[in-house]
């Protein structure tokens, strides 16, 4: 069969070039029949999809160490198969990516764009605009207005040298706004990859971009209407009102879905399918009415109630499929139309656009920086913010494709815009990482540790809670930590909720805000438990309740930020017991990943305690002859170093509780082998202080054990396990004599607990006691080499 195929983009039928192509059916009988599978449409489509996705993923793997975002590797992956690289080989282009491939790729890619914009709208919280402050409003407005006027001025000044299509007033307005506006979908994707969503700059950019996006939507509607005749523009306005009314109806339906979904239950998958069908309907109506296919899906996404259950179900159900399966077809189509050789001899049409986009970019960078400095941001943070607000990506590509369809620009200009967009984003992203360190505010130089806190002062504690189970262990630990009138506890309980179904993180102080989180599991039960405990402790314990809804990868930033703000001495983290049982990195009950604990340990501005809760502290039925009452039995293992000193300082506070009996075991190496002289002196001083202070306390026992290697250390701990303890307290790892751990390092699989903490928490000891692993604050510039792995883990987590 012979098919006539038109090539030439959006040319008219008379202008287009026609070629004859021999075409077979959809599926071949097989290569063993002597047939070429590339002559059949379906195998060819599969091969093309494989190549595109392979190139994109491979390039991202290679560029990831350079801090390049996904968008850069996706565009370059598309260019790889186009006429600029592999497509220059005629045999490859003819057999693997023939001329009619672009039709399929463009349409599948547009479906991907439609759902990408819909999901972006789902993640946006449009109500946040009402809470926008002066800083965000100024950055959003001025950061768009100045570049817009700059580009418009350049176009007016060089109007005689521009292509005819570019001299039309609506086109000038459309180009100026496209170069000036920063869009939410682009900015969110890059900020998420850089782990800046919970940072100061990330939050500021996310708030400012909403203002910019509103301006962009208005400009797009004006552009679409202005390029038409008066009667056509009127019909577009009518269509806009009709689609807005339809979206309002969809919104009411989705609110009904949320209300009809039982608490703590997922949304019915049938509703999700109907909503995805509604996206296609709204995109079809938007396209046929002249509103442009990109607008209505985004608006429909904005109508979806953010967060769980509905928003989370939509994002979880389609995000990966859209971004990693459908969207690569878009980049392949872009790559097929990106031809570097086409720019040769076309500089008269390319250079003006080149100057405009560079002028818009640098004007935006300078403008945002000036506004940031006006609001007293540092130069580094202001420059990082200005680079973030100048990022280019998916939405700009879609706009350039739309200009190609409208014949506003041709292939040379399109190629230049795609390449420049890629280069600008590729340069800006690593610069943002260099300029802005979200952990810098946590690097305090003041001592914030239990060891250095006077006994008669208020102890500030940040307690992280991720579910109802973690509350019990945390409250048990507080109760035995001996809060008193002279040394009360100010506890900042931070409820950790994973961000799903929305983009902007939320941090709520429940003393100041009445925002509810009843849709999240166990929210009311947790807060009621904390209030009851506070009432039972009187003035000795005061709770301040907070909630953070943020991505797991950046959750540590909210924890550390709260600790800095409240001048906390200790952060208490719950440990995921499933990690102990399965020994897998992926195990987690709900949201608490091991990476959260690792990142907090790496960046904490104070001491940290990781609690492995194995149940409430039990009565041991051992009567203390002096006090004639039942006690809890705790054991502190002192292996030396800063963490061990912090552990015994915390245990000393517990020893003041009349319900607690404490056994302190100090491990020493045979003949002082492997001792660090300075650490040894510090250990001797603190242990001597501890023993002298508790010499008359019959509930405190101190012993020393001499060992030659890790095997003897483990044997001594196992021997202790025969006695019953409610709680083991141990330093994490900093400063431990390596001889005491000789032969054990390779055994440990839970880095956040340290070698000994991991061993005690495992079932090998034969104890059902809880474990508290303590790390003392590490001052800025004094991090030991052993923390390098943790710092690498947190900085490279994306």
């Amino acid at each position: 069969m012979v098919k006539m195929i038109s090539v030439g983009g959006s040319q008219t039928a008379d202008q287009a070039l026609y070629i004859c192509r021999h075409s077979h059916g959809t599926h071949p009988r097989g290569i063993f029949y002597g047939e070429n599978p590339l002559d059949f449409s379906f195998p060819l489509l599969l091969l093309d999809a494989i190549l595109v996705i392979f190139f994109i993923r491979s390039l991202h793997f290679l560029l990831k160490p350079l801090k390049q975002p996904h968008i850069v590797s996706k565009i370059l992956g598309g260019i790889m198969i186009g006429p600029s690289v592999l497509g220059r080989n005629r045999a490859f282009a003819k057999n693997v990516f023939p001329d009619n491939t672009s039709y399929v790729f463009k349409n599948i890619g547009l479906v991907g764009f439609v759902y990408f914009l819909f999901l972006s709208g789902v993640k946006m919280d449009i109500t946040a605009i009402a809470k926008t402050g002066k800083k965000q409003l100024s950055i959003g407005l001025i950061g768009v207005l100045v570049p817009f006027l700059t580009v418009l001025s350049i176009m007016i000044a060089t109007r005689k040298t521009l292509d005819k299509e570019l001299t039309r007033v609506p086109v000038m307005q459309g180009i100026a706004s496209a170069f000036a506006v920063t869009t939410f979908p682009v900015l969110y994707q890059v900020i998420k990859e850089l782990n800046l969503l919970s940072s100061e700059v990330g939050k500021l950019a996310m708030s400012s971009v909403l203002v910019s996006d509103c301006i962009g939507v208005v400009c797009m509607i004006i552009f679409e209407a202005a390029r038409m005749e008066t009667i056509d523009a009127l019909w577009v306005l009518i269509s806009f009102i009709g689609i807005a009314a339809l979206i309002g109806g969809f919104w009411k339906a989705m609110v009904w879905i949320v209300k009809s979904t039982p608490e703590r239950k997922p949304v019915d998958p049938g509703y999700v399918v109907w909503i995805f069908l509604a996206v296609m309907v709204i995109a079809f109506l938007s396209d046929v009415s002249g509103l442009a296919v990109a607008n209505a899906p985004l608006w429909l996404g904005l109508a979806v109630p953010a967060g769980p259950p509905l928003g989370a179900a939509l994002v979880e159900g389609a995000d990966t499929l859209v971004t990693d399966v459908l969207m690569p077809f878009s980049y392949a189509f872009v790559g097929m139309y990106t031809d570097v050789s086409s720019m040769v001899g076309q500089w008269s049409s390319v250079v003006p656009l080149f100057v405009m986009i560079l002028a818009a970019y640098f004007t935006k960078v300078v403008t945002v920086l000036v506004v940031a400095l006006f609001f007293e941001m540092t130069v580094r943070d202001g420059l990082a913010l200005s680079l973030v607000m100048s990022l280019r990506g998916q939405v700009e590509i879609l706009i350039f494709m739309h200009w190609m369809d409208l014949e506003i620009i041709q292939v040379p200009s399109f190629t230049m815009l795609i390449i420049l967009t890629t280069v600008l984003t590729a340069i800006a992203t690593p610069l943002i990482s260099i300029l802005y360190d979200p952990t810098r505010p946590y690097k305090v130089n003041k001592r914030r540790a239990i060891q250095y806190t006077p006994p008669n002062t208020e102890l500030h504690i940040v307690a992280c809670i991720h579910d109802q189970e973690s509350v019990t262990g945390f409250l048990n630990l507080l109760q035995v930590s001996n809060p008193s009138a002279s040394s009360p506890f100010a506890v900042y309980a931070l409820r950790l909720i994973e961000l799903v179904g929305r983009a902007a993180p939320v941090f709520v102080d429940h003393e100041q805000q009445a925002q509810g989180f009843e849709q999240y599991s166990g929210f009311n039960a947790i807060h009621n438990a904390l209030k009851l405990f506070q009432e039972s402790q009187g003035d000795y314990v005061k709770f301040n309740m907070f909630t953070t809804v943020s991505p797991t990868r950046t959750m540590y930033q909210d924890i550390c930020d709260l600790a800095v703000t409240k001048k906390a001495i200790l952060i208490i983290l719950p440990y995921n017991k499933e990690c102990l049982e399965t020994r897998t990195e992926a195990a987690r009950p709900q949201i608490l990943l091991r990476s959260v604990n690792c990142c907090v340990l790496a960046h904490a501005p104070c001491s940290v305690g990781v609690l492995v809760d194995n149940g409430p502290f039990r009565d041991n039925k051992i009567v203390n002859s002096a006090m004639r009452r039942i006690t809890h039995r705790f054991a502190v293992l002192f292996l030396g170093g800063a963490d061990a000193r912090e552990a015994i300082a915390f245990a000393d506070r517990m020893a003041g509780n009349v319900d607690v009996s404490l056994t302190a075991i100090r491990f020493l190496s045979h003949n002082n082998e492997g001792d660090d002289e300075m650490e040894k002196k510090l250990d001797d001083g603190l242990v001597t202080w501890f023993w002298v202070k508790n010499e008359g306390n019959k509930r405190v026992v101190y012993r020393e054990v001499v060992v030659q290697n890790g095997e003897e250390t483990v044997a001594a701990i196992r021997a202790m396990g025969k006695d019953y303890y409610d709680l083991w307290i141990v330093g994490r790892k900093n400063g431990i004599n390596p001889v005491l751990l000789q032969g054990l390092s390779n055994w440990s699989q839970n880095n956040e607990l340290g070698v000994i903490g991991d061993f005690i928490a495992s079932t090998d000891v034969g104890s059902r006691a809880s474990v508290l692993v303590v790390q003392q604050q590490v001052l800025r510039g004094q991090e030991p080499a052993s923390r390098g792995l943790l710092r690498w883990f947190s900085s490279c987590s994306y």
Side-chain angles (χ1 to χ4, degrees):
M1 181 174 65
V2 177
K3 286 189 176 181
M4 301 293 291
I5 302 173
S6 170
V7 294
S10 57
Q11 297 176 5
T12 63
D14 294 333
Q15 296 172 324
L17 171 66
Y18 284 85
I19 63 172
C20 296
R21 176 172 299 283
H22 186 65
S23 178
H24 289 279
T26 306
H27 305 283
R29 290 179 296 174
I31 58 174
F32 303 107
Y33 288 88
E35 294 179 335
N36 181 1
L38 299 184
D39 288 337
F40 296 84
S41 57
F42 189 67
L44 182 61
L45 177 62
L46 292 179
L47 177 62
D48 292 346
I50 291 170
L51 288 175
V52 171
I53 296 176
F54 171 78
F55 281 129
I56 288 175
R57 301 304 299 180
S58 300
L59 285 170
H60 179 64
F61 175 79
L62 295 174
L63 296 175
K64 186 176 180 180
L66 301 177
K67 298 291 185 181
Q68 292 300 317
H70 277 82
I71 183 63
V72 171
S73 57
K74 287 175 178 177
I75 296 175
L76 293 179
I79 293 176
M80 284 283 292
I81 57 96
S84 297
V85 187
L86 295 178
R88 295 186 68 85
N89 184 298
R90 293 186 178 182
F92 177 84
K94 178 181 178 181
N95 292 291
V96 182
F97 288 94
D99 305 300
N100 56 351
T101 304
S102 61
Y103 172 80
V104 177
F105 273 44
K106 181 177 182 179
N107 285 283
I108 296 178
L110 282 175
V111 172
F113 266 121
V114 164
Y115 280 105
F116 169 76
L117 292 170
F118 167 72
L119 293 176
S120 297
V122 173
K123 297 170 186 176
M124 290 175 67
D125 183 10
I126 198 66
T127 60
I129 295 179
K131 307 172 187 176
T132 302
K134 291 182 179 179
K135 183 190 295 187
Q136 295 90 334
L137 189 62
S138 300
I139 292 172
L141 285 175
I142 301 175
V144 170
L145 183 61
V146 174
F148 175 83
L149 295 176
T150 300
V151 174
L152 201 59
S153 300
I154 292 174
M155 296 189 77
I156 294 173
T158 60
R159 193 169 185 174
K160 294 181 180 180
T161 63
L162 298 177
D163 291 343
K164 184 178 179 180
E165 282 296 324
L166 299 181
T167 58
R168 298 172 56 195
V169 174
V171 173
M172 294 171 68
Q173 173 264 321
I175 290 177
S177 61
F179 289 167
V181 171
T182 303
T183 56
F184 169 85
V186 174
L187 185 141
Y188 166 71
Q189 292 293 328
V190 179
I191 286 184
K192 181 181 178 183
E193 292 180 43
L194 293 176
N195 290 337
L196 298 180
L197 280 176
S198 298
S199 66
E200 180 185 359
V201 165
K203 292 177 180 177
L204 184 57
M206 291 287 287
S207 300
S208 302
V209 80
L210 291 177
V211 179
S212 175
D213 246 345
C214 291
I215 299 173
V217 170
V218 173
C219 289
M220 178 63 72
I221 295 174
I222 294 174
F223 168 72
E224 295 295 334
R227 66 184 180 84
M228 301 178 181
E229 300 294 336
T230 305
I231 187 64
D232 294 330
L234 179 61
W235 281 113
V236 168
L237 178 60
I238 295 173
S239 301
F240 169 74
I241 296 173
I243 289 177
L246 184 60
I247 291 175
F250 282 136
W251 172 75
K252 291 184 178 180
M254 287 184 285
V255 170
W256 176 84
I257 291 173
V258 172
K259 290 182 178 179
S260 62
T261 301
E263 186 179 357
R264 304 183 189 179
K265 296 293 182 181
V267 174
D268 189 326
Y271 293 141
V272 175
V273 174
W274 279 108
I275 292 173
F276 285 136
L277 178 61
V279 177
M280 290 189 178
V281 172
I282 210 74
F284 170 78
L285 294 176
S286 176
D287 201 28
V288 300
S289 63
L291 281 175
V293 70
N295 289 324
L298 178 65
W299 302 337
L300 180 61
L302 293 173
V304 177
L310 186 56
L314 293 173
V315 172
E316 288 180 334
D319 209 5
T320 301
L321 176 66
V322 171
T323 57
D324 294 331
V325 178
L326 294 180
M327 289 290 286
F329 286 92
S330 307
Y331 302 111
F333 172 77
V334 170
M336 293 168 68
Y337 269 79
T338 303
D339 186 359
V340 176
S341 62
S342 67
M343 292 191 293
V344 178
Q346 301 293 327
W347 303 115
S348 60
S349 60
V350 170
V351 170
L353 283 173
F354 179 82
V355 173
M356 289 176 209
I357 193 170
L358 280 184
Y361 188 87
F362 288 110
T363 303
K364 193 177 189 72
V365 169
V366 173
T367 301
V368 174
L369 175 59
V370 170
V371 176
L373 294 177
F374 176 79
F375 284 99
E376 300 181 348
M377 291 183 67
T378 64
V379 175
R380 289 174 67 96
D381 290 357
L383 186 55
L385 176 64
S386 63
L387 290 172
V388 168
M389 293 297 295
S390 304
L391 292 169
R392 311 276 95 185
Q394 295 92 332
V395 176
E396 284 75 23
I397 292 173
L398 186 59
I399 292 173
F400 300 156
M401 292 169 61
H402 187 50
W403 290 351
M404 283 276 288
D405 290 337
L406 298 177
E407 299 183 359
I408 294 174
I409 59 174
Q410 303 301 321
V411 171
S413 298
F414 178 81
T415 300
M416 184 275 299
L417 291 173
I418 293 297
I419 292 176
L420 197 55
T421 295
T422 308
V423 170
L424 291 175
T425 301
I427 294 174
T429 307
L431 284 178
I432 294 168
S433 299
I434 294 171
L435 288 169
Y436 184 69
D437 179 8
T439 68
R440 189 168 61 245
Y442 321 141
K443 298 177 181 178
V444 297
N445 291 313
K446 185 178 180 180
R447 290 284 188 181
R448 293 184 179 179
I450 297 175
Q451 179 186 351
Y452 302 103
T453 302
N456 296 323
T457 57
E458 187 177 54
L459 198 67
H460 291 224
I461 299 173
V462 171
C464 301
I465 300 171
H466 68 88
D467 57 17
Q468 291 178 252
E469 292 183 2
S470 61
V471 175
T472 304
F474 157 62
L475 294 180
N476 287 334
L477 181 64
L478 277 186
Q479 191 168 24
V480 299
S481 296
N482 197 31
S484 62
S486 60
S487 182
F489 289 175
V491 182
Y492 305 97
L494 180 61
R495 170 79 156 105
L496 308 178
I497 300 175
E498 186 176 21
L499 181 68
V500 180
R502 63 187 303 162
V506 178
F507 189 89
V508 177
D509 180 351
H510 292 283
E511 297 290 328
Q512 305 294 331
Q513 297 172 255
Q515 185 171 348
F517 289 84
E518 290 75 11
Q519 70 267 41
Y520 295 101
S521 175
F523 179 83
N524 290 326
I526 290 172
H527 279 69
N528 290 336
L530 297 181
K531 288 179 180 179
L532 288 174
F533 181 83
Q534 178 176 270
E535 292 172 1
S536 68
Q537 296 298 311
D539 296 331
Y540 296 171
V541 177
K542 181 180 180 181
F543 276 106
N544 293 274
M545 302 180 190
F546 301 84
T547 296
T548 176
V549 184
S550 58
T552 305
R553 292 184 300 179
T554 60
M555 198 172 282
Y556 78 95
Q557 296 176 8
D558 288 317
I559 298 171
C560 294
D561 186 63
L562 181 62
V564 169
T565 304
K566 302 302 180 181
K567 299 181 180 179
I569 301 300
L570 178 69
I571 298 173
I572 300 177
L573 299 171
Y575 185 79
N576 184 358
K577 290 182 288 186
E578 290 186 16
C579 292
L580 292 172
E581 298 168 0
T582 63
R583 297 287 183 182
T584 62
E585 184 73 20
R588 62 172 180 165
Q590 289 183 5
I591 66 163
L592 186 62
L593 293 173
R594 293 174 61 181
S595 61
V596 176
N597 284 3
C598 287
C599 290
V600 173
L601 288 164
H603 302 293
C606 59
S607 295
V608 181
V610 182
L611 178 64
V612 182
D613 178 31
N614 288 323
F617 302 141
R618 301 170 182 83
D619 293 334
N620 294 293
K621 300 181 180 179
I622 297 177
V623 179
N624 185 303
S625 57
M627 304 301 296
R628 303 301 302 173
R629 63 187 303 164
I630 296 175
T631 62
H632 301 301
R633 301 192 66 189
F634 295 169
V636 55
L637 305 180
F638 189 93
L639 281 82
D643 292 352
R645 294 192 291 271
E646 188 72 358
I648 203 169
F650 195 5
D652 177 69
R653 280 183 171 267
M654 295 179 179
N657 189 328
V658 295
D659 293 330
V660 172
S661 67
L662 180 66
T663 300
I665 307 295
R666 183 181 186 185
F667 289 82
L668 300 170
S669 63
H670 183 66
N671 293 329
N672 296 325
E673 182 182 355
D675 281 343
D676 180 279
E677 184 176 349
M678 180 59 68
E679 290 288 348
K680 183 68 162 50
K681 289 181 179 180
L682 294 174
D683 292 344
D684 290 342
L686 187 65
V687 170
T688 301
W689 165 83
F690 172 79
W691 175 239
V692 170
K693 178 182 177 183
N694 293 285
E695 186 176 9
N697 189 343
K698 295 183 178 181
R699 291 179 288 101
V700 178
V701 177
Y702 173 76
R703 299 174 186 168
E704 291 183 351
V705 177
V706 179
V707 297
Q708 300 186 50
N709 51 45
E711 184 178 350
E712 293 187 5
T713 302
V714 168
I717 295 173
R718 276 203 178 98
M720 291 181 62
K722 295 178 181 179
D723 297 328
Y724 191 83
Y725 292 101
D726 291 310
L727 178 68
W728 299 79
I729 307 170
V730 61
R732 182 166 170 258
K733 65 179 183 180
N734 294 334
I736 296 178
N737 185 335
V739 173
L740 304 180
L741 305 179
Q742 187 176 353
L744 301 180
S745 298
N746 294 332
W747 179 86
S748 177
Q749 298 185 32
N750 295 288
N751 190 44
E752 63 266 47
L753 296 182
V755 176
I756 298 301
D758 189 19
F759 170 71
I760 299 172
S762 69
T763 56
D764 297 340
V765 181
S767 172
R768 294 179 297 166
S770 298
V771 181
L772 178 65
V773 178
V774 181
Q775 173 183 282
Q776 190 176 77
Q777 174 203 21
V778 179
L779 292 179
R780 183 177 185 176
Q782 299 182 16
E783 296 90 342
S786 59
R787 295 188 65 167
L789 179 62
L790 276 176
R791 191 164 299 283
W792 175 88
F793 178 86
S794 60
S795 63
C796 302
S797 58
Y798 88 90

